[in-house]
Each structure stands twice: as C-alpha cells, then as structure tokens.
Amino acid sequence: MSALRIVRVHDTGGENDMEKNQWKTDRMIGFSAGVEAVERVCEKADIYKATRQKPPHFVLNVEDADRQHIFTKFVVQAYRQCGVMVFFELDDFIEFTLDGSYGQLEDVFAELEGYAVFTNNFQGIVAMDITKLAEHLNETQVINFFHYVKKSENTVFLFYISMKGMKRNGVNLANKVISEIPNIEYIRMASYTVEEISAITLQMVEDADIIVRKSEKAMITQMIQKKVEACGFSTIKEVRMLARQLILHAEMKEAKAYLDVKKVSEVCGEERVDKENENYAK
C-alpha cells in the first residue's frame, strides 16, 4: 500500500530523548484555529458522553505532513482527556496518505476495517491526507471514498488538503467533502509565521533540557528569527534541523547544558546565514 503510516498515540514518535520531546502537544504554536475548534468540542464533552454523539469531522488546509501529525495527536489527546469519545481499539488513531488511485483507496479502507477489533468499524480518529483526490473528483474512487466514510459510523475523520499550488482544485475538493459528508467542519489553518517557527525552534531546544537564561532569551529569539527569515524556513522538518544545530552548540557547565548568545551566533550569525543562502542558490 502506498504511503501508509500507522502510529499509536502511546508512542513517543522518536528514537531518542531529543526526538521524543519534539512531539509534545501541550504547547501548541501556530494552530490557533484548530485548537479553538477542538476546545469548542471539548467544552461540550458532557453532552457528547450523555447523548453518545460523535464529534464532528474536520477538513483542514495543512500541507506539512509533520504538522498534520502534530495536530492529529493533539486532537486525540484532547478528546481522550476530556472524554469526548471512547477509544476502544488497540490504536487510538491511524494516519493515511491517499495517492488518488482506485486500488489504493480500496486497500486503505480494507486495512482500516482490519483495525476494528472490538466494534464493527474502527472507533477512533483517522487522519487522511486526501489532496490527490482533487485530481479525480468525477471518478469512481471519489464516489467510493464518500461511501466508505459514511459507512464508518464510529470513526472521526481529519481530512487534510494541501492547497499549495492547487489553484481551484483544492477548494473544489474541500467544498465537495463538506457537501457530501454530514457533521463536518472546515478549519482554515494559517501558515507558520516567522515568529511561530522561531518559537517552535526554541521550544525544541528547551524540551531537550538545554537551559537558555532568561536574560539572554530575547536576544536569542531575535537571532533565531533572523535566521528563519533569511533561510525561508517554514516546515517542521526545517525547524528540527535548526533546533538540532543549536542543541549541538550547547555547552556543558556543572553537569547542565547551556545555550548562550555567543553559541547561537555561531549557528544564526549573519555570516553563516549568507553562506547558507549561497549554498541554497547553487
């Protein structure tokens, strides 16, 4: 099956401690519209429990696969903690990326049925990047897609659509999903700003138990922002790369790791930025 990812919510998402901490969802940066939508659902948790109603599906314009994953984990953890829904299966959530083909779509939903252990269909959250379906709006696989989704009575879906370079196709797909599937909400997610990318970078550094002194944090934040803007960083992958560079420039003092302005300048200084931009240009 093409581009299938399955993740247990109990997994840490990484191979070492630094990687584990990068996927914390208790401090969401740059997801304000999505967080507000989830909070609205959680505010009615008692109603969902009392009436056994399913929370709404979401359609979100999110391009970055890492960002999709982070938000999916946030939704699962929020719903489980608030009691919005009961997670009966061995996996709390599953992630798929559809390639738009008829064969893969059939395989995906057959696979999904296999994860329904204790109920007739999977009772949990399924995240799907459905961007490729925009190229097949009038074809059989899209008709079957809606059929399978509607049949999955216990499943809450998060449908991700990348609008980048899609012109009207992405909007048409989102509109069709909203018109075909009941109990669904469209969430317009903004792209990361320079400030948000910089804040996430610094968060990853601190989550790796690197100490940044309060007296230097403002200066260090400003230096990271200049680096992010100069290099055009916009994805979690790029953030992780920059955070890793900063982490490896920390210094050990009395069994603790510190990152100061001088060390940050070695990564984010103007001279280094200029050289990296030259490399990108080549």
Side-chain angles (χ1 to χ4, degrees):
M1 193 187 307
S2 172
L4 168 62
R5 295 180 295 146
I6 302 169
V7 186
R8 292 181 187 275
V9 75
H10 308 291
D11 287 349
T12 56
E15 297 176 357
N16 52 52
D17 290 339
M18 186 185 80
E19 187 80 6
K20 289 176 186 177
N21 287 326
Q22 286 176 356
W23 298 111
K24 286 183 178 178
T25 56
D26 55 343
R27 286 181 285 163
M28 298 287 289
I29 299 173
F31 290 89
S32 58
V35 170
E36 288 169 6
V38 171
E39 286 176 345
R40 287 196 297 272
V41 173
C42 290
E43 287 170 0
K44 298 181 180 179
D46 290 341
I47 300 296
Y48 283 111
K49 283 188 285 187
T51 61
R52 298 184 180 180
Q53 295 295 305
K54 187 170 68 174
H57 310 293
F58 291 148
V59 183
L60 311 99
N61 58 312
V62 180
E63 288 86 10
D64 187 346
D66 286 330
R67 199 177 182 205
Q68 293 175 5
H69 177 70
I70 291 171
F71 185 72
T72 299
K73 287 189 68 175
F74 169 74
V75 174
V76 173
Q77 292 174 354
Y79 284 2
R80 190 174 56 180
Q81 289 170 6
C82 295
V84 171
M85 58 187 292
V86 177
F87 296 89
F88 276 139
E89 312 299 348
L90 298 176
D91 296 276
D92 289 344
F93 73 102
I94 304 174
E95 298 177 289
F96 297 93
T97 298
L98 301 184
D99 64 13
S101 69
Y102 179 90
Q104 194 234 10
L105 181 70
E106 295 286 304
D107 289 343
V108 162
F109 280 96
E111 192 82 12
L112 182 55
E113 287 184 7
Y115 285 98
V117 179
F118 304 108
T119 54
N120 292 331
N121 50 68
F122 183 77
Q123 183 155 333
I125 290 178
V126 172
M128 281 189 176
D129 186 324
I130 62 171
T131 304
K132 291 293 185 179
L133 290 183
E135 302 169 11
H136 307 276
L137 281 182
N138 298 316
E139 298 178 23
T140 304
Q141 56 263 49
V142 174
I143 296 173
N144 286 1
F145 166 77
F146 291 123
H147 169 73
Y148 286 129
V149 170
K150 292 174 185 177
K151 192 173 70 171
S152 303
E153 296 179 355
N154 297 324
T155 309
V156 174
F157 287 92
L158 305 179
F159 299 116
Y160 294 107
I161 302 175
S162 173
M163 298 293 184
K164 190 174 182 179
M166 291 281 285
K167 297 182 180 179
R168 288 291 304 175
N169 285 350
V171 175
N172 291 339
L173 175 59
N175 288 336
K176 191 167 183 65
V177 170
I178 292 168
S179 66
E180 289 282 346
I181 299 174
N183 189 28
I184 194 164
E185 180 180 344
Y186 179 69
I187 302 175
R188 189 178 301 279
M189 300 279 269
S191 300
Y192 282 130
T193 64
V194 169
E195 290 76 18
E196 288 168 345
I197 285 284
S198 303
I200 295 169
T201 303
L202 192 55
Q203 175 185 305
M204 288 182 177
V205 170
E206 293 180 323
D207 284 347
D209 295 325
I210 305 297
I211 298 172
V212 177
R213 293 184 177 88
K214 289 183 180 180
S215 60
E216 295 187 306
K217 185 167 286 189
M219 178 65 72
I220 287 174
T221 298
Q222 186 178 34
M223 294 170 71
I224 293 174
Q225 287 178 356
K226 287 183 178 179
K227 171 79 169 183
V228 167
E229 188 170 19
C231 295
F233 292 155
S234 61
T235 67
I236 294 296
K237 181 178 180 180
E238 292 165 330
V239 170
R240 290 169 64 187
M241 179 191 70
L242 177 56
R244 180 176 174 80
Q245 285 182 305
L246 291 168
I247 289 167
L248 293 177
H249 275 72
E251 285 187 313
M252 296 298 300
K253 297 178 182 178
E254 298 179 354
K256 293 183 179 180
Y258 290 84
L259 187 66
D260 58 23
V261 169
K262 180 180 178 182
K263 286 298 180 180
V264 172
S265 69
E266 294 178 9
V267 177
C268 300
E270 294 182 5
E271 181 180 351
R272 177 177 288 272
V273 169
D274 291 339
K275 287 182 178 179
E276 290 192 0
N277 284 338
E278 289 175 7
N279 292 332
Y280 290 146
K282 292 178 182 178

